[in-house]
Amino acid sequence: MNAPLSFNERRSLAPMRERLVVIGNGMAGCRAVEEILARDPARYAITIFGAEPRVNYNRIMLSPVLAGEKAFDDIVINGEDWYANNAITLIAGDPVAAIDRASQSVIARSGRIEPYDRLLIATGSDPFIIPVPGAELAGVVTFRDLDDVEKMLKAAEGGGHAVVIGGGLLGLEAAHGLSLRGMAVTVIHLMPTLMERQLDEAAGWLLKSELEARGQTILTGADTAEIVGDAGHVCGVRLKDGREIAADIVVMAVGIRPATALARGAGLQVERGILVDDHMVTSDPAIMAVGECVQHRGACYGLVAPLWEMCRALADAATGEPSGYEGSVTSTKLKVSGIDLFSAGDFSGGEGAEDIVLRDAARGVYKRVIVRDDRLVGAVLYGDTGDGAWYFDLLKKGEDIAPIREALIFGQAFASGGAQLDPSAAVAALSDDAEICGCNGVSKGKVIACIAGGAHSLDAVRGGCKASASCGSCTGLVETLLQLTLGEEVQSGPKSLCKCTSFTHADVRRLIVEKGLKVIPQVMQALGWSTPDGCASCRPALNYYLLCAWPGDYVDDQQSRFVNERLHANIQKDGTYSVVPRMWGGLTTPDELRAIADAADKYGARTVKVTGGQRIDLFGIHKEDLPAIWADLNAAGMVSGHAYGKALRTVKTCVGSEWCRFGTQDSTGLGVRIERMTWGSWMPHKFKIAVSGCPRNCAEATIKDFGVVCVDSGYELHVGGNGGIKVRVTDLLCKVATEEEALDVCAAFIQLYREQAWYLERTAPWIERVGLDHVKSALFDDPDAIASLAARFRFSQGFMQDDPWAQRAAGADAELHQHLAEVRPFPTQAILEAAE
Amino acid sequence: MIREPVTGAWLDIGPVGQISPGHARTLPVAGGPDESREIAVFHTLEGRFYALVNTCPHKAGPLSQGLVHGHVVTCPLHNWNISLKTGEAQGEDRGCVPVIPLKVDAGRIYLLRAAVLGENRRAA
């Protein structure tokens, strides 16, 4: 572009020009120089210092180099001829050691001194090394420059295991490259969601599934404790939970920090980055800064697009026509071939923000746009990123999207289609043989015929022609067809699980099993949840449904538990907790009572009360003291009473034939056996049992979820009682002759309730909804039903009967009980003390 | 709600890894203007951090013990939904709890000192 200058021209021009020294031969430094040259090629005599002994290359293309898709020569931006042609002196491999602002010169490591009139700092950023033991071992590399890539390529020659610490953009690109080079790759990510700064939980889960399908091991929520070495070279990574992963190379890709040491040393104003104004000038008017090392209006950037905008503003100012940089909105794409992922703007919701979510389970597509005040403020796209650029454009321009809001989520082709602004128009335009329901092969014509035949609700259509009766991803289409065909006459269907979905509890339970859905984000994706991570209604319900469907397999999601079930105690109105140890069948011993009394004293229980379920409740315990009081109670042989859970609460008994002159059977003994069998089981709602030794029914068995009334000839088993807001007396289920039969029917009934009731539905409303006949038929029609239901219950109990108090007393989830820290203010300062 | 640029001294309350996403942890403040003042620091499922005074505007429930979804926490006592961004009750409920300005830098959480100590109201 610029005509080459001869040596003589350079000599003669040099003294007249201002001397511009650039620290940093990277993308920002060179781009700034290019921009200045494009405006005024004769203004400056330019010297560029580079720490790496090579010409300027495109750092963001290192990932394709690692993956073998590109060679170094392909990613060079400016070769040696560019420096020569523009009379730029390149000092590569001799980094600047200090800036002397008084004499306006920089001093290189070799001792070379270079005076400047204007100085440009473009030092970029440094990879952040997490301070764990072993971080200094050979074989631990970062992913920042070509040297790092070469180290990785060398390690990959021998195959073996690679561990990448950090599941962000850079880490995943490194993992992809190493995986393609034949290494077995494990990604360790501290957060539960990959790329959590760019992706929400739903998109993060899709990404994780895809990477796992490609053979990578992805460990989220994994905190590195130590990098393990052997003879000075890395050989593995140990996590805080004790797991160890073999590693021949460890790539540290947890993040970057602006490289500000030089600027700080020179006394420039530095916070997180070097502070610059809108013209990229630092606190010293002779010194400018640009790129990842700067902090502009409070923001630091680690992406390439803002850098180009900064360089334009810098060049305008440096050539006497200041324009100003106003900050950037950024977008992200993951450079992993075959994975389409796009993220831009703010997706954290917020005041007045509204989510529009579109999921297509069959194609693995998740699209979410965030709208505030009729403006697009964020977008997350997975699986179909074709409209990423369009959304980003709308976002940057802040265009009013009100006119296209309805169709926005369907993309540009649809939203810009003029006459088709109404999404129902597109459905109306479909031909009669267009397929609506892929699962059941139902065409639009068949759906319309079904509606015309009298199916006036979604449920009726599902029942009539099977459309949307399987995976449900075409529910929206069917609803639109109902609307188009019937207008106002559409009958609303049964109540959905919550506002996040149009599926009912029954649908969700059935589909979890049918489709083998194993974790919450998977359910939300497959069933087209309309919110990114659910709400306080659906999360606990899904957690329970998954726990019930996949015993031993599903990992309980603490984030989906109400506080009582998370802290294994009952929260009270003042924020303290009450603690109820289990008393099997209402029996206790002097030793247990002494331990309870001691615990009440030691932990300051302000109230001690005998409960309706025949045990003792200690009130006023602080959450920090819970593990300690549990340890004390455990030591006396007691376990959690689950008085706080949607779970088996207590088995109330009377004394029975052992003492009572009316007793017909050993009701206390049977109560203890039943409680030993059922404790610890999670249920749709709380579950109470009682055993009375005779029809006088002192244990009030006929208002319990499951009640046993002993008679001379055996045991009457009652179900569906409730002593709550609406008192309901039990229905007699059956009569059995032996304790063993009573235990089997109890286990089978509980399992039927666990598998069929809706979350937060007690047995009483459940039986009223489905009818006692349904329950009897499910238990007794098939002679094997009792045995198989009871077997499923006992299998599940094998995983449930693990005292949660003992786990916490042993230190599990300690952070749930401890304060983060404590603040103790003094007159002039605040002192912060760590909790531990 | 924070409308002005936030300036002042920041308190480093430790690394982000101390709070799992979807959870909150507490920070008691001794000797401040309120007895038993407590700050709740939240980590949402989307990886954002927020801090509120740990007291529901309804019946003073400990918000730190609530269920976190989106940018909202549901109070454990009576299911009020409180915005983590503004401290305001959502939906039909009316009430607001003070927001403590928070920033995350290089993997550590910082809270605005004056707001933690409850001095912002005196200054205002």
Side-chain angles (χ1 to χ4, degrees):
Chain A
M1 274 173 271
N2 299 295
L5 297 167
S6 72
F7 180 74
N8 282 337
E9 281 172 314
R10 284 164 68 178
R11 285 277 300 208
S12 59
L13 283 171
M16 297 151 61
R17 296 183 176 190
E18 287 180 81
R19 290 163 302 183
L20 171 66
V21 172
V22 181
I23 308 177
N25 187 34
M27 302 186 69
C30 289
R31 180 60 171 241
V33 169
E34 282 179 2
E35 292 277 350
I36 290 171
L37 290 173
R39 284 164 180 71
D40 189 351
R43 181 160 185 145
Y44 292 105
I46 300 171
T47 303
I48 301 179
F49 280 87
E52 287 182 67
R54 52 180 73 91
V55 294
N56 168 236
Y57 63 91
N58 188 344
R59 199 182 296 278
I60 62 170
M61 298 309 275
L62 283 174
S63 295
V65 173
L66 179 63
E69 291 158 4
K70 284 201 160 46
F72 177 68
D73 286 346
D74 298 332
I75 69 167
V76 169
I77 300 175
N78 292 309
E80 282 170 25
D81 52 336
W82 176 75
Y83 297 91
N85 292 344
N86 291 294
I88 296 166
T89 309
L90 172 64
I91 304 169
D94 187 11
V96 171
I99 302 166
D100 181 2
R101 287 164 60 194
S103 68
Q104 293 211 335
S105 57
V106 299
I107 301 111
R109 190 165 60 192
S110 65
R112 173 182 188 137
I113 294 176
E114 199 69 34
Y116 64 82
D117 297 304
R118 307 288 302 266
L119 178 66
L120 172 58
I121 304 177
T123 43
S125 58
D126 296 323
F128 182 63
I129 309 283
I130 51 172
V132 291
E136 72 296 335
L137 288 167
V140 179
V141 302
T142 56
F143 185 19
R144 194 62 198 149
D145 58 30
L146 194 66
D147 293 338
D148 295 329
V149 172
E150 278 164 1
K151 282 182 211 158
M152 282 190 252
L153 291 178
K154 194 155 185 306
E157 281 170 14
H161 298 272
V163 169
V164 177
I165 302 179
L169 199 60
L170 210 55
L172 294 181
E173 292 185 3
H176 174 65
L178 290 168
S179 178
L180 284 185
R181 296 279 181 175
M183 297 193 86
V185 178
T186 303
V187 177
I188 296 174
H189 191 52
L190 182 62
M191 299 298 169
T193 302
L194 290 175
M195 292 179 67
E196 77 283 349
R197 289 169 63 155
Q198 289 88 21
L199 300 185
D200 55 20
E201 192 191 17
W205 178 81
L206 285 168
L207 175 61
K208 179 165 179 268
S209 309
E210 171 64 28
L211 294 174
E212 284 169 342
R214 292 176 176 211
Q216 296 182 24
T217 305
I218 311 282
L219 304 178
T220 50
D223 200 355
T224 305
E226 184 185 355
I227 299 173
V228 188
D230 180 28
H233 193 279
V234 60
C235 68
V237 172
R238 197 166 48 75
L239 301 180
K240 286 208 174 134
D241 62 14
R243 276 181 289 179
E244 250 189 71
I245 301 126
D248 301 301
I249 183 170
V250 171
V251 181
M252 192 84 83
V254 291
I256 54 170
R257 274 183 163 167
T260 57
L262 269 181
R264 210 181 281 275
L268 296 176
Q269 276 184 23
V270 175
E271 286 181 3
R272 211 157 19 130
I274 305 167
L275 296 188
V276 292
D277 65 12
D278 288 356
H279 307 291
M280 314 314 290
V281 177
T282 68
S283 54
D284 179 337
I287 304 181
M288 305 170 289
V290 72
E292 292 178 349
C293 61
V294 308
Q295 178 176 336
H296 172 263
R297 295 192 188 180
C300 295
Y301 296 96
L303 296 166
V304 73
L307 198 146
W308 298 156
E309 293 167 23
M310 287 182 198
C311 287
R312 270 194 291 277
L314 176 133
D316 286 342
T319 53
E321 290 183 11
S323 56
Y325 168 67
E326 299 186 333
S328 300
V329 183
T330 57
S331 71
T332 308
K333 270 194 121 156
L334 183 68
K335 290 183 292 302
V336 169
S337 44
I339 294 183
D340 291 324
L341 187 162
F342 174 89
S343 157
D346 178 10
F347 57 90
S348 65
E351 191 66 3
E354 215 176 321
D355 285 316
I356 307 173
V357 175
L358 175 76
R359 303 185 192 234
D360 183 340
R363 289 197 302 138
V365 169
Y366 171 77
K367 297 169 82 175
R368 174 179 171 209
V369 298
I370 300 93
V371 173
R372 187 186 299 133
D373 300 333
D374 292 333
R375 302 283 186 278
L376 187 70
V377 295
V380 181
L381 309 177
Y382 187 94
D384 176 4
T385 55
D387 286 309
W390 179 64
Y391 288 130
F392 191 49
D393 195 46
L394 287 176
L395 195 152
K396 281 199 295 187
K397 289 181 178 155
E399 271 180 31
D400 182 0
I401 53 90
I404 54 169
R405 192 180 187 295
E406 292 300 314
L408 185 64
I409 193 70
F410 299 104
Q412 181 175 21
F414 200 42
S416 309
Q420 296 199 347
L421 278 188
D422 175 6
S424 66
V427 181
L430 290 173
S431 64
D432 270 0
D433 48 4
E435 189 174 77
I436 296 294
C437 174
C439 297
N440 296 311
V442 188
S443 68
K444 178 185 167 189
K446 281 187 194 162
V447 176
I448 300 278
C450 178
I451 296 170
H456 286 189
S457 71
L458 182 61
D459 238 34
V461 172
R462 284 176 177 169
C465 67
K466 287 275 171 214
S468 103
S470 292
C471 83
S473 61
C474 60
T475 302
L477 284 173
V478 174
E479 283 175 336
T480 306
L481 286 174
L482 276 161
Q483 198 66 41
L484 285 169
T485 315
L486 299 172
E488 296 295 301
E489 284 166 40
V490 181
Q491 291 159 6
S492 56
K495 207 167 164 296
S496 67
L497 190 151
C498 70
K499 63 177 171 42
C500 306
T501 178
S502 60
F503 284 110
T504 63
H505 282 272
D507 292 334
V508 172
R509 294 210 75 162
R510 177 177 54 82
L511 291 165
I512 282 173
V513 176
E514 271 181 23
K515 298 168 77 77
L517 306 175
K518 295 291 177 74
V519 290
I520 289 176
Q522 191 184 12
V523 177
M524 292 181 175
Q525 174 65 19
L527 306 188
W529 240 242
S530 65
T531 50
D533 55 16
C535 69
S537 295
C538 59
R539 288 195 74 98
L542 293 181
N543 188 53
Y544 169 71
Y545 291 154
L546 290 165
L547 195 71
C548 179
W550 316 113
D553 205 3
Y554 179 66
V555 179
D556 202 297
D557 183 35
Q558 291 291 301
Q559 290 91 318
S560 299
R561 288 277 189 187
F562 288 122
V563 59
N564 287 358
E565 295 183 351
R566 207 179 323 125
L567 288 191
H568 297 286
N570 290 57
I571 195 165
Q572 302 298 329
K573 62 185 281 188
D574 66 348
T576 64
Y577 291 83
S578 82
V579 167
V580 182
R582 192 167 289 286
M583 287 182 175
W584 306 98
L587 292 176
T588 184
T589 64
D591 280 343
E592 285 186 355
L593 291 172
R594 266 188 287 274
I596 289 172
D598 287 345
D601 279 342
K602 185 171 169 186
Y603 300 100
R606 297 199 301 280
T607 299
V608 180
K609 188 184 179 306
V610 174
T611 70
Q614 299 184 332
R615 32 203 204 166
I616 292 176
D617 202 345
L618 305 176
F619 286 85
I621 311 297
H622 292 274
K623 78 170 182 214
E624 307 86 88
D625 289 335
L626 290 172
I629 192 172
W630 295 335
D632 287 3
L633 295 170
N634 278 159
M638 286 174 278
V639 298
S640 165
H642 291 81
Y644 47 79
K646 314 296 176 212
L648 185 273
R649 293 286 177 89
T650 101
V651 180
K652 187 173 180 175
T653 66
C654 67
V655 290
S657 58
E658 193 185 353
W659 294 92
C660 179
R661 62 202 161 102
F662 301 112
T664 63
Q665 307 284 354
D666 177 14
S667 52
T668 324
L670 176 58
V672 172
R673 287 188 75 188
I674 291 179
E675 190 158 354
R676 292 272 178 199
M677 175 181 78
T678 54
W679 77 279
S681 58
W682 294 109
M683 311 261 198
H685 208 309
K686 61 184 170 185
F687 196 98
K688 299 179 178 181
I689 300 179
V691 186
S692 284
C694 78
R696 287 170 188 76
N697 193 12
C698 295
E700 297 160 349
T702 49
I703 51 163
K704 302 298 182 207
D705 294 281
F706 186 85
V708 182
V709 177
C710 302
V711 291
D712 278 330
S713 56
Y715 307 84
E716 288 174 4
L717 306 182
H718 299 257
V719 295
N722 195 329
I725 297 173
K726 189 170 167 231
V727 179
R728 182 180 194 272
V729 175
T730 46
D731 297 308
L732 178 63
L733 185 67
C734 64
K735 195 177 153 192
V736 296
T738 65
E739 281 197 0
E740 302 310 321
E741 289 171 275
L743 286 163
D744 279 348
V745 173
C746 176
F749 174 76
I750 289 178
Q751 188 63 14
L752 188 70
Y753 168 63
R754 294 183 76 230
E755 290 177 1
Q756 295 195 350
W758 300 341
Y759 189 67
L760 296 187
E761 188 175 41
R762 289 288 296 271
T763 54
W766 170 58
I767 287 180
E768 300 214 330
R769 177 168 64 79
V770 301
L772 182 65
D773 287 345
H774 166 82
V775 174
K776 283 185 169 173
S777 146
L779 291 173
F780 306 123
D781 282 1
D782 173 358
D784 296 328
I786 296 279
S788 69
L789 279 162
R792 286 210 290 282
F793 180 68
R794 290 192 169 103
F795 175 75
S796 164
Q797 285 296 85
F799 305 100
M800 300 292 174
Q801 294 193 324
D802 188 4
D803 179 27
W805 287 2
Q807 297 170 26
R808 293 285 169 91
D813 299 318
E815 74 283 356
L816 293 183
H817 299 279
Q818 290 163 356
H819 292 303
L820 198 51
E822 246 173 86
V823 182
R824 295 186 194 151
F826 287 96
T828 52
Q829 59 174 4
I831 304 280
L832 195 76
E833 283 201 11
E836 287 177 292
Chain B
M1 186 173 179
I2 316 160
R3 295 177 198 282
E4 300 298 315
V6 172
T7 54
W10 295 88
L11 281 178
D12 179 348
I13 59 163
V16 294
Q18 296 181 109
I19 312 175
S20 319
H23 284 299
R25 292 185 69 184
T26 44
L27 185 76
V29 183
D34 315 329
E35 275 305 307
S36 71
R37 182 180 173 81
E38 210 167 78
I39 310 294
V41 185
F42 295 88
H43 187 178
T44 70
L45 290 167
E46 299 186 335
R48 305 289 166 126
F49 289 85
Y50 300 99
L52 300 177
V53 169
N54 191 20
T55 309
C56 182
H58 178 217
K59 302 250 177 175
L63 296 172
S64 61
Q65 307 300 84
L67 211 85
V68 178
H69 48 100
H71 60 100
V72 167
V73 60
T74 302
C75 178
L77 292 194
H78 306 98
N79 293 330
W80 274 36
N81 285 315
I82 308 294
S83 163
L84 297 175
K85 292 194 152 188
T86 65
E88 279 165 27
Q90 308 288 290
E92 299 300 303
D93 298 321
R94 291 285 166 266
C96 189
V97 60
V99 176
I100 309 297
L102 176 151
K103 68 174 183 180
V104 173
D105 188 7
R108 298 186 74 84
I109 304 168
Y110 296 82
L111 299 180
L112 193 68
R113 179 182 177 279
V116 168
L117 300 183
E119 288 169 354
N120 49 339
R121 279 165 293 165
R122 271 182 267 165

